[in-house]
Amino acid sequence: LLGRIRPNGTGLSLVRMRQLRASIPPSEFGREYLGWWDEPTDTDIFGDGAWSAATATSLGDDGEDHVGYPQPPDFELSCVGVAVSADLASASVVGAGKRGDRTAVRLIATAPGHTWVVPRLLELQEAHPRLRFVVDLQGPSGVLTWELRERLKPARRVTAVTLPQWKAACAGMYTGIRDQTIEHGAQPEMDTSVSDAKRRDIQDRWVFERYGY
């Protein structure tokens, strides 16, 4: 059966399925190729206690005005994501990078409006010249398209995320939080976002529902 069909109806040979099974952990194999997803509980979308267990208090409890969080010295920032709310009334910048042997994510800045975003990204780029930026230009963040491409150089460091990439990123975030290979800052804005988060099914996979963002 496994050699003949996947949940989305495409065929994979038994040999290929065995190769995939040997190359990744059982939980990830089940989610990626068998469609075995743990149902989220009422606590949050990651399941009971998973988000709290992944909290690293030194990653983000040092901000006072919740507009700009200082970066911890042991956090190696490598990628930044940008989100603008559907009504363009606010925006957020989130960073990801390595912290020891784990991937860490933390809120860098959040504030009303969106005109502040690119200047903040330029500050980050000056401090981290090899930084990469990820944004969904098909959504509300598309309002930043021209400014991102004109002011952030080289332009190849700006990635316009596609739907397949978005689905893979959601799966990776879910798996990382569940398996505790991803940690996050102790930041109330992120906690609130997770507690309110829902998921939206797309064919045989799912993504985080956008709602206000």
Side-chain angles (χ1 to χ4, degrees), residues 11-210:
L12 284 174
S13 69
L14 184 58
V15 171
R16 181 56 179 156
M17 290 295 284
R18 285 173 174 164
Q19 291 173 340
L20 292 167
R21 172 61 185 85
S23 66
I24 58 178
S27 60
E28 185 175 347
F29 175 80
R31 286 188 282 263
E32 290 293 325
Y33 297 101
L34 301 180
W36 295 347
W37 292 88
D38 299 325
E39 289 297 326
T41 69
D42 291 337
T43 304
D44 61 59
I45 198 169
F46 296 105
D48 193 15
W51 178 256
S52 296
T55 302
T57 56
S58 62
L59 258 178
D61 56 358
D62 47 5
E64 295 181 357
D65 59 3
H66 303 301
V67 173
Y69 284 94
Q71 179 177 304
D74 59 344
F75 178 61
E76 186 181 339
L77 185 66
S78 60
C79 183
V80 165
V82 177
V84 177
S85 63
D87 59 4
L88 308 183
S90 61
S92 297
V93 175
V94 177
K98 298 300 292 184
R99 187 170 184 259
D101 60 353
R102 291 186 175 186
T103 297
V105 295
R106 64 187 298 271
L107 178 65
I108 293 176
T110 184
H114 58 80
T115 57
W116 60 271
V117 171
V118 173
R120 183 72 177 97
L121 298 184
L122 289 170
E123 292 175 2
L124 290 170
Q125 187 178 49
E126 184 176 354
H128 308 275
R130 299 184 65 83
L131 194 62
R132 302 193 70 88
F133 303 91
V134 179
V135 59
D136 178 9
L137 296 179
Q138 300 301 312
S141 301
V143 69
L144 301 173
T145 299
W146 182 88
E147 197 173 7
L148 284 169
R149 290 177 171 167
E150 288 297 315
R151 299 186 63 185
L152 288 177
K153 302 295 183 181
R156 66 176 182 272
R157 295 202 179 277
V158 180
T159 298
V161 68
T162 64
L163 180 58
Q165 290 171 330
W166 173 231
K167 290 190 285 188
C170 291
M173 185 70 177
Y174 179 88
T175 301
I177 293 294
R178 296 282 296 179
D179 296 343
Q180 296 191 23
T181 57
I182 293 178
E183 62 184 13
H184 62 88
Q187 298 168 299
E189 297 92 340
M190 292 185 68
D191 293 339
T192 299
S193 294
V194 169
S195 66
D196 293 340
K198 305 295 180 184
R199 73 185 198 184
R200 175 166 58 91
D201 293 330
I202 300 180
Q203 297 177 337
D204 63 327
R205 306 186 76 174
W206 63 267
V207 297
F208 297 110
E209 186 62 85
R210 184 182 299 275

